[in-house]
Amino acid sequence: MWGKYYPILLYVLEKAGLFGNVKTSTVLLSKELNSTQQTISRKLIEMEKKKMIKRQLEANGLILSLDEKGRAYLKENYNALKKNFEKKNILLKGSVVSGIGEGKYYMSLPKYQKQFQQKLGFKPYSGTLNIKLKDRTQLLEFINNLNSVLINGFKTKKRTYGPIACYKIKVKDIEGAIAIPERTRHEENIIEVISPVYLRSYYNLKDNDILEVEK
Amino acid sequence: MWGKYYPILLYVLEKAGLFGNVKTSTVLLSKELNSTQQTISRKLIEMEKKKMIKRQLEANGLILSLDEKGRAYLKENYNALKKNFEKKNILLKGSVVSGIGEGKYYMSLPKYQKQFQQKLGFKPYSGTLNIKLKDRTQLLEFINNLNSVLINGFKTKKRTYGPIACYKIKVKDIEGAIAIPERTRHEENIIEVISPVYLRSYYNLKDNDILEVEK
DNA sequence: ATTACTATGTACCGAGTAA
DNA sequence: TTTACTCGGTACATAGTAA
């Protein structure tokens, strides 16, 4: 409903804060927001009428600050976004499954191993623990606000090994990482967990055991 | 720049989350967003082209989810808002000043006193500690994400006593509250702090002493 | 039911310009 | 220099309608 005023509101918020003010001009604003002086002028007047901003004319420009409706609108937006971005997806739940030993092979490659050690801070056990999720959406949400650790790919005479994105996690008390090859099938709902110990025996895990992974 | 798509993006975020999807229809959306079926249809197509959303036609409607650009745009917005709304204004700093005894008079009124006790959980000392701030902006920022405790006004035969907004705070180790009469002068940069003890003597405060108030 | 095209109407933008 | 008006062209929203 006030979408067209949103860029200006954000600008004022950015420069003035919630309760401060900013000295600017319609010309300046038009340049910063890719618009024209006339359009900005008109919108500012409209926004003032709607009590979104306060406007104070000066000799060589104007002073802007947020007004109650503007603050309320921004806060409303903030809350809506917050609800979704701050979801505390501390846990990722799935069941233990057996892999086909593929992970073990990759773990054994020195060029990967070295990077794991350097970038994750641990030397992974030569195998992965496979965890089957209900669907991939869980994973995307889980890693959404985690920082990825990128393991670079490399080439040999025989073939190319792609990059791997890792996300540091914990399995119970043991540190580890989810490893996602860049060229993975995106429908896949099985994740591979690497860790310095052989998790399967360390925690006596069997297939179909429910397991939770922490951030 | 994408302001006109913002309401739809928020809708999808709200209903589907960042990675989920929502079954809806252009008719439904038009009603919820105060628009028309045709406009929604067109915008959804545009948004799909811009990779803001994913669109999947069904027999009796369509399935929507956020796409990469949509998520990125929302997150960008979120971060901009977060910066300003999550400012940790834990401290409010000012200097001790002498009041004209006005606060003391109001504190002594039983109708106010009773409410202070009930709503704030302490019986205020019969006087206020006045703290002078640099400017009122500080105060507005400080109380922005605090909940106000409203002390109701009342009438006597002689005059009317207005409502008072209170914000629970702490002065060093002592609990207290900032009391702001509703009909206060908004340029005023002096706040009145009430507390169960006589703060001035408890902490041996003198005029011009710098004091910090905590949330 | 739906979605989405085409045609029409309107509101918005921006150039020109006054103050 | 500013801001903000008037006015004309266009881009956008809506109605009608096809699929």
Side-chain angles (χ1 to χ4, degrees):
Chain A
M1 141 205 212
W2 285 344
K4 63 176 174 175
Y5 300 126
Y6 198 61
I8 297 180
L9 271 182
L10 271 186
Y11 178 89
V12 178
L13 179 68
E14 196 71 17
K15 299 287 182 183
L18 277 168
F19 298 99
N21 48 241
V22 57
K23 173 75 184 290
T24 182
S25 80
T26 53
V27 178
L28 190 71
L29 264 165
S30 68
K31 282 173 187 161
E32 301 225 35
L33 301 177
N34 285 312
S35 186
T36 61
Q37 179 271 323
Q38 294 89 336
T39 298
I40 297 292
S41 172
R42 182 169 23 78
K43 283 190 179 172
L44 288 178
I45 292 168
E46 289 164 14
M47 290 169 81
E48 187 182 36
K49 278 185 194 152
K50 292 175 196 289
K51 289 202 184 298
M52 299 174 80
I53 58 161
K54 281 181 182 151
R55 208 169 121 271
Q56 200 179 315
L57 263 89
E58 295 281 302
N60 55 346
L62 32 71
I63 293 175
L64 298 178
S65 63
L66 292 175
D67 202 352
E68 38 175 326
K69 301 282 184 197
R71 269 195 298 271
Y73 180 69
L74 287 169
K75 181 136 202 183
E76 207 177 283
N77 268 280
Y78 174 62
N79 287 334
L81 293 170
K82 186 177 180 177
K83 227 191 312 176
N84 289 283
F85 282 102
E86 293 298 308
K87 261 188 197 163
K88 291 276 172 281
N89 296 297
I90 303 163
L91 294 175
L92 184 63
K93 202 172 165 182
S95 56
V96 175
V97 293
S98 289
I100 52 169
E102 219 190 1
K104 188 162 186 158
Y105 170 63
Y106 288 107
M107 286 305 99
S108 71
L109 301 170
K111 293 226 170 169
Y112 277 143
Q113 271 201 353
K114 202 174 172 184
Q115 290 185 71
F116 285 134
Q117 172 71 69
Q118 283 175 348
K119 296 178 180 174
L120 293 173
F122 63 81
K123 180 175 177 295
Y125 170 80
S126 66
T128 63
L129 178 68
N130 296 294
I131 300 176
K132 185 176 185 170
L133 309 172
K134 261 196 183 154
D135 56 70
R136 204 156 218 275
T137 299
Q138 281 177 78
L139 175 63
L140 295 173
E141 282 178 355
F142 184 80
I143 63 177
N144 181 44
N145 43 13
L146 286 182
N147 295 319
S148 69
V149 175
L150 191 68
I151 305 298
N152 299 314
F154 58 93
K155 283 181 192 176
T156 64
K157 283 166 212 161
K158 291 180 184 170
R159 57 162 285 195
T160 299
Y161 296 87
I164 302 173
C166 290
Y167 298 89
K168 286 189 180 186
I169 50 102
K170 279 179 88 173
V171 179
K172 299 183 187 185
D173 298 318
I174 302 293
E175 66 174 331
I178 298 173
I180 307 174
E182 201 154 272
R183 297 218 158 259
T184 193
R185 285 173 49 224
H186 278 261
E187 309 77 36
E188 187 61 87
N189 63 345
I190 293 176
I191 57 168
E192 301 195 76
V193 174
I194 62 179
S195 139
V197 305
Y198 182 33
L199 289 168
R200 203 172 252 274
S201 81
Y202 189 90
Y203 287 122
N204 192 29
L205 298 170
K206 293 174 290 293
D207 277 4
N208 301 319
D209 281 0
I210 302 297
L211 192 63
E212 283 177 341
V213 161
E214 261 178 277
K215 288 201 174 172
Chain B
M1 142 204 208
W2 284 345
K4 61 177 176 176
Y5 300 127
Y6 198 61
I8 298 180
L9 271 183
L10 269 185
Y11 178 90
V12 178
L13 179 68
E14 197 70 16
K15 300 285 183 185
L18 277 168
F19 299 99
N21 49 242
V22 56
K23 173 76 184 287
T24 183
S25 81
T26 53
V27 179
L28 190 70
L29 264 166
S30 68
K31 282 174 187 159
E32 300 225 33
L33 301 177
N34 287 309
S35 185
T36 61
Q37 179 272 321
Q38 293 89 335
T39 298
I40 297 293
S41 172
R42 179 170 28 79
K43 284 190 179 173
L44 288 177
I45 292 167
E46 289 164 12
M47 290 169 82
E48 187 181 37
K49 278 185 192 153
K50 292 174 197 288
K51 289 203 184 299
M52 298 174 79
I53 58 161
K54 282 180 181 151
R55 208 169 121 272
Q56 199 177 315
L57 263 88
E58 295 281 301
N60 56 346
L62 31 72
I63 293 174
L64 299 178
S65 62
L66 292 175
D67 202 353
E68 35 174 329
K69 301 282 183 195
R71 269 195 298 272
Y73 180 69
L74 287 170
K75 181 138 201 184
E76 207 178 284
N77 268 280
Y78 174 61
N79 287 333
L81 292 171
K82 187 178 181 179
K83 227 189 314 174
N84 289 284
F85 283 103
E86 293 299 310
K87 264 189 196 163
K88 292 278 174 279
N89 297 297
I90 304 163
L91 295 175
L92 184 62
K93 203 172 163 183
S95 56
V96 174
V97 292
S98 290
I100 52 169
E102 221 189 2
K104 188 161 185 160
Y105 170 64
Y106 288 107
M107 287 305 99
S108 71
L109 300 170
K111 294 226 168 166
Y112 278 143
Q113 272 202 352
K114 202 174 173 184
Q115 291 185 71
F116 284 133
Q117 172 73 68
Q118 284 175 349
K119 296 177 180 172
L120 292 174
F122 63 81
K123 178 173 176 297
Y125 169 80
S126 67
T128 62
L129 178 69
N130 295 294
I131 299 176
K132 186 175 184 173
L133 310 171
K134 259 199 186 152
D135 56 70
R136 203 155 220 275
T137 300
Q138 281 177 76
L139 174 64
L140 295 173
E141 282 178 355
F142 184 81
I143 64 177
N144 181 45
N145 43 12
L146 285 180
N147 294 320
S148 71
V149 176
L150 192 68
I151 306 297
N152 299 315
F154 58 93
K155 285 181 191 175
T156 64
K157 283 166 213 161
K158 289 180 186 169
R159 57 162 287 190
T160 300
Y161 296 85
I164 303 173
C166 291
Y167 298 89
K168 288 189 180 186
I169 49 101
K170 279 179 86 174
V171 178
K172 299 183 187 187
D173 298 320
I174 302 293
E175 67 174 330
I178 296 172
I180 306 175
E182 199 154 273
R183 296 215 159 261
T184 194
R185 285 173 50 223
H186 277 261
E187 309 78 33
E188 188 60 86
N189 64 345
I190 293 176
I191 56 167
E192 301 195 76
V193 174
I194 61 179
S195 142
V197 305
Y198 182 33
L199 290 169
R200 204 172 250 273
S201 79
Y202 190 90
Y203 287 123
N204 191 30
L205 297 170
K206 292 174 289 292
D207 276 6
N208 302 317
D209 280 2
I210 301 298
L211 192 64
E212 282 177 340
V213 161
E214 263 178 278
K215 290 201 173 170

